[in-house]
Amino acid sequence: MGIPAVLLVLLGAGYTTGAALGWGSREVSLVMGDFGLAAAAAAAALSCLVHGFRVGGPARSAWLLFGLASAVVAFGNGAWGWYEVVLRTPLPQDSPADYAFLLFAPLAITGLLVLAQRPRTPAGWFCLLLDGWLVAGSLFTLSWSLALGRTAQGQSGDPMEVALALAYPVMDILLVSLVVGLRFRRRDGNRAAVHTAMLALAVTVVCDALFTAPELRNSYHSGELLDAGWFAGSLLLAWAPWSPDARRSSREHPSAGGLPRRRVASTFSALTPYAAAAVCTAGILYNALGNGHPVDRVVLAAACTVGLALIVRQGVMLLDNLSLAQELAHKEAHFRSLVQGSSDVIMIAAADGELSYVSPAALGVYSRDPEDLVGGNLLDLVHPEDVERVLREVRRFLARSHLPGLAESTEPSARVECRIRSGTGEWLHVESTLNRHRDGLILNSRDVTERVALQAQLQHNAFHDPLTDLPNRALFVQRLGAALGAGGLDGGPGPAGPGSSGPGSSGSGSLGSGDRDGVAVLFLDLDGFKAVNDTVGHQAGDELLVQAAGRLRRAVRSGDTVARFGGDEFAVLVCGRLGPERVRDLAERVRAALSEPYWIGGAELGVAASIGIAFASPGRGPDPKAATDELMRNADLAMYRAKSQGKGRVVLYRPGMRAEVERRSELETRLRTAVREGGFTLLHQPVVDLATGVVVGLDAQPRWRSAQGLLLTPTEFLRTAEPGDAAARFARWLLQEAVTAAAARRRDRAGSVPVRVRLTAERICAPGLYETVAAALRESGLPPELLVVELARTGPDRTADEVARRLSALRRLGVSTAVGGFGAGGGSLGALARLPLDTLGLDRSLVQEVADSALARALVGHALRLGRDLGLVTAADGVDHPRQAVVLQELGCRQAQGPVFAPPLDEPRLRRALARRSYPVPRPSGSASGRRPHLAADTRAGGRAEAAPGRPGHHHTPSDLPERHAVGGPSGGPHGETSVPPA
């Protein structure tokens, strides 16, 4: 109860106490009985009018009418006080106060009619009028017998005086009738404000009824205890608009208070007419037997109308009941047809699970006769594993339906999914909707077996590869994270040491001793799978992947997880008792199984497998995701290391691999930056005709200018960048720079000899190379015959056709072609025969031993003879000593380059060398020129005169000489960056 309500209670109690004690004097009693009531009524009027203007809807008119009713009461009490207190005269007959009080009841009745839940049909309105008359007639009969009759007899006979004397109590009777009739026709959802207003009117009407009694009226004076009732009625009406909303009071405990109260209200509403008739009968008996006089005609007339109204009401109710019965029968038939025709199974179960009704749909859904199910227990149909869960869901639903704030009409439903045994013995997935039904449940069930199967299939597809049905990357990562997060897996072996060089294996290093619980990941890649797709098609490739997946499943243990990540990449998760030897043996078994021949479409296909292994670190952090990412990254690094070491082998991860990857990434970044910011420069090494010493060509060799000003070979850069786009940009820069420099020398008449640019097969086959060459020639104006594109080495036979196609396109453009590095690396003679070439260059590894080794001399001789037989110009690279040049002349080599003639030269020195046009060539002993066998060392010849600035007289040894390389990858030699003089 709030503070305003407490103040009103205290005010009412104070007024009642003062009235009971007589207020201490007659003057105070008159003032409080007249102007005190007027003030209370005025407060009620003001409260109702203010609330009426603030609210909207139909309630506004009702509160305004209540405010006007209280206003006329305030006026009546004020008029009464004017006569008694101010004028000190008795209240005259037919005073303004009487007419004001008479207006109170019509205004209040109209307000009740506006505010109440009105009937919606003409029959409802008619029954409401009959009920109102039954109540009003009964009360009138009783009141006439007790008081109104004597009041009428006590008047002087003036009709106006009789009407005024009887109008006010009769209007009160009508008001009480409406209060009683409408109260029990209302819903429980109305607000507490309406309850308070009706209570205020009821208190006022009771006080008016007491005032009607002649004994009380004749002895009444203002300020007595009866005024406390009117005062309380006005205070209640003033408080009504602002009372707290009590709509939830009937909903807080629907099971405890909602349903019984609704039943009592309905019962009382149905018995109200009969109770009114009983009251009317009591009035007649009192009038006939109480005073011994004949029955008053007024009582008799009122009683007859009440009886007639009751008979008419019974007829109306009978017709209404017949109509309702027909409508109920129609709805019941409609409901029965819906239930029996529904594809869902509808069941009614008691609190103990006993089935009292099962719809006919059970025969089609469960393959069970509904009559056989009735009387059985619902839980007997549920799968034993689902019984406990079903009971838990039902209890939770029943508990939730009793929560405060949920009325019975808005009681929630619940969904329960379980397995039900069908008549054929199979278990069906059934989804049921639960609703309350008296002391049990109504279940609306449907078969969702197909939906459950579809969901399971979709979930399977989301975590499995559609081709091989192996787990995909998402499921593999999930299982790996679970394995790493399990408490029993406390790490695996330590990091691996250097791998062995044997095929298909790698060294174990320090992996710990003994087996222990741990986690290992194997990453696999099928070597040669792309060639299968290219040669026999993707359909055969898919079949090969399916067979490889089957071999993987059979090769690993039953508890290991095999996954396909996409393409030809697979992974294996190994958990449990692990050791380096066991995991290596498992990996070797997998590699051997995958490397066996595949028979697809009657053809034998072969692939190999490169496998990387990584163990979970014993000291991994608490984050499973970070540990998962790290372990998979380590296995991936080990797998790529296996491929780079020659494929078809197993490599264990070691910490140094990550440092190497980081170094390659750093070098690639530096290469990209050097190309973009002009960190490279171009040197040229002359190519000399061994017969005449004339410069017949130039070999373009790039150098990287370090921060210290030294020129370094970019071999390591190119080795790192070969798989990426940095090497492609570097190749475009080299071509454009070499062509531009050659065109500039030609325009300056500084020498017009062909310039040779060495590229790897990957760069020659890269998209855009032809366009780059054509654009460079077009923009510079260099004749195409002055450009030679040299293939660094012949590659595998499978790439020979593509390389031949690209070289043929360049030859059609007018560019000469050559192959270098012959005698080292892979490639067959058949591939050499298919390439459109003009020049065959020997690798420096053959040239280095040609003067000292008979075997090397024989190999070089056969290579040169092969070049002559193919009609190619033969050339040698890396001629360091005069003896090598002499032997090459004897074997018939036509061209050579190397420090014995000139090192790589910068542009000014190159122009001076081209101005001389030739270099001295060492001759065999005894020949005409044999008198100077070491001309290359003679500074006057110019070959060694082009020494580096600041290093006069320095003679380069083989270790000082730059490594011969091709753009996109090295052609041999050391891997590090080699410092060379700037020539």
Side-chain angles (χ1 to χ4, degrees), residues 453-506:
L454 178 60
Q455 289 176 345
Q457 184 63 40
L458 292 177
Q459 185 176 10
H460 180 83
N461 293 343
F463 290 99
H464 288 78
D465 176 58
L467 178 63
T468 62
D469 202 39
L470 292 176
N472 59 12
R473 180 185 292 269
L475 183 56
F476 185 86
V477 171
Q478 178 181 336
R479 292 184 179 178
L480 177 57
L484 293 176
L489 301 176
D490 57 3
S500 67
S501 58
S505 64
S506 64

Side-chain angles (χ1 to χ4, degrees), residues 892-977:
C893 184
R894 295 180 55 183
Q895 299 176 0
Q897 69 181 85
V900 72
F901 301 108
L905 306 175
D906 59 11
E907 191 63 24
R909 292 176 175 79
L910 175 64
R911 294 196 176 213
R912 289 198 296 270
L914 292 176
R916 288 193 298 270
R917 297 288 298 171
S918 64
Y919 285 94
V921 179
R923 300 297 179 182
S925 299
S927 65
S929 58
R931 292 169 302 191
R932 298 180 61 188
H934 301 290
L935 293 180
D938 193 344
T939 56
R940 291 175 297 172
R944 303 297 290 177
E946 306 295 341
R951 302 175 65 184
H954 175 72
H955 294 274
H956 293 282
T957 64
S959 60
D960 295 324
L961 299 177
E963 176 188 350
R964 183 69 189 275
H965 71 279
V967 176
S971 59
H975 299 325
E977 298 172 352

Side-chain angles (χ1 to χ4, degrees), residues 587-598:
E588 288 291 349
R589 187 165 65 248
V590 168
R591 186 193 62 79
L594 294 178
S595 301
E596 292 292 328
Y598 295 83

Side-chain angles (χ1 to χ4, degrees), residues 285-514:
L285 292 176
Y286 176 80
N287 187 270
L289 304 176
N291 51 19
H293 295 289
V295 178
D296 194 310
R297 288 178 295 177
V298 176
V299 174
L300 185 61
C304 291
T305 56
V306 170
L308 181 62
L310 183 60
I311 294 173
V312 173
R313 190 183 187 281
Q314 284 296 105
V316 173
M317 292 301 298
L318 180 61
L319 294 176
D320 190 39
N321 288 338
L322 291 175
S323 175
L324 289 177
Q326 292 177 358
E327 184 179 358
L328 181 61
H330 175 72
K331 290 184 176 180
E332 184 178 357
H334 180 66
F335 173 74
R336 184 180 296 108
S337 63
L338 288 178
V339 171
Q340 294 180 352
S342 174
S343 59
D344 293 348
V345 180
I346 300 176
M347 297 181 290
I348 299 177
D352 59 355
E354 182 179 353
L355 296 172
S356 59
Y357 174 79
V358 179
S359 67
L363 184 61
V365 176
Y366 299 153
S367 301
R368 289 176 176 266
D369 190 348
E371 296 182 358
D372 296 339
L373 295 177
V374 174
N377 196 288
L378 175 63
L379 296 179
D380 294 339
L381 305 176
V382 180
H383 194 283
E385 297 178 359
D386 298 342
V387 170
E388 189 64 30
R389 180 170 53 84
V390 170
L391 288 175
R392 185 170 59 252
E393 292 295 332
V394 170
R395 294 192 189 103
R396 185 182 304 168
F397 163 69
L398 294 177
R400 189 171 68 247
S401 63
H402 288 81
L403 290 177
L406 294 176
E408 186 178 0
S409 59
T410 60
E411 181 178 309
S413 60
R415 292 182 181 272
V416 177
E417 190 168 325
C418 62
R419 287 166 289 180
I420 297 291
R421 184 188 296 274
S422 67
T424 59
E426 62 177 330
W427 293 101
L428 304 176
H429 288 270
V430 175
E431 182 185 66
S432 300
T433 302
L434 305 181
N435 289 281
R436 289 183 60 84
H437 174 70
R438 296 179 183 174
D439 296 330
L441 294 172
I442 296 179
L443 297 92
N444 191 353
S445 306
R446 63 195 61 85
D447 183 11
V448 294
T449 303
E450 293 184 359
R451 189 195 71 187
V452 172
L454 178 60
Q455 289 176 345
Q457 184 63 40
L458 292 177
Q459 185 176 10
H460 180 83
N461 293 343
F463 290 99
H464 288 78
D465 176 58
L467 178 63
T468 62
D469 202 39
L470 292 176
N472 59 12
R473 180 185 292 269
L475 183 56
F476 185 86
V477 171
Q478 178 181 336
R479 292 184 179 178
L480 177 57
L484 293 176
L489 301 176
D490 57 3
S500 67
S501 58
S505 64
S506 64
S508 60
S510 177
L511 292 173
S513 60

Side-chain angles (χ1 to χ4, degrees), residues 550-750:
R551 295 183 183 184
L552 263 175
R553 287 194 187 98
R554 294 187 294 271
V556 301
R557 304 175 305 176
S558 59
D560 299 335
T561 297
V562 178
R564 180 188 176 215
F565 284 1
D568 58 345
E569 292 186 354
F570 295 85
V572 179
L573 172 61
V574 184
C575 303
R577 303 290 295 176
L578 301 179
E581 296 303 326
R582 288 192 178 187
V583 177
R584 191 204 313 278
D585 292 343
L586 175 64
E588 288 291 349
R589 187 165 65 248
V590 168
R591 186 193 62 79
L594 294 178
S595 301
E596 292 292 328
Y598 295 83
W599 290 92
I600 299 174
E604 179 182 354
L605 301 176
V607 295
S610 296
I611 303 177
I613 304 175
F615 290 95
S617 173
R620 60 179 180 270
D623 186 4
K625 184 179 185 304
T628 300
D629 295 341
E630 180 183 8
L631 186 57
M632 294 181 62
R633 185 166 56 250
N634 293 345
D636 196 31
L637 290 176
M639 185 265 290
Y640 276 104
R641 174 55 59 90
K643 295 180 73 70
S644 66
Q645 288 183 355
K647 303 180 180 181
R649 64 186 63 217
V650 177
V651 172
L652 272 71
Y653 170 79
R654 53 183 177 82
M657 293 181 181
R658 182 172 300 178
E660 294 176 5
V661 171
E662 293 174 354
R663 171 174 169 77
R664 286 199 300 269
S665 177
E666 178 187 0
L667 290 178
E668 184 175 358
T669 302
R670 291 171 61 189
L671 175 61
R672 188 181 298 109
T673 303
V675 173
R676 183 177 63 251
E677 298 179 357
F680 285 100
T681 187
L682 195 63
L683 304 181
H684 293 81
Q685 188 172 32
V687 179
V688 177
D689 187 295
L690 287 177
T692 62
V694 175
V695 177
V696 294
L698 299 174
D699 183 26
Q701 297 182 13
R703 295 291 185 271
W704 176 63
R705 192 181 305 276
S706 69
Q708 293 77 22
L710 297 178
L711 297 180
L712 307 177
T713 60
T715 303
E716 181 69 14
F717 283 177
L718 299 178
R719 184 192 310 279
T720 300
E722 177 57 36
D725 60 345
R729 290 196 296 270
F730 183 76
R732 288 194 296 270
W733 173 86
L734 177 60
L735 279 167
Q736 294 170 354
E737 191 73 13
V739 170
T740 301
R745 289 191 295 271
R746 183 171 179 270
R747 287 193 304 268
D748 298 340
R749 301 182 183 277

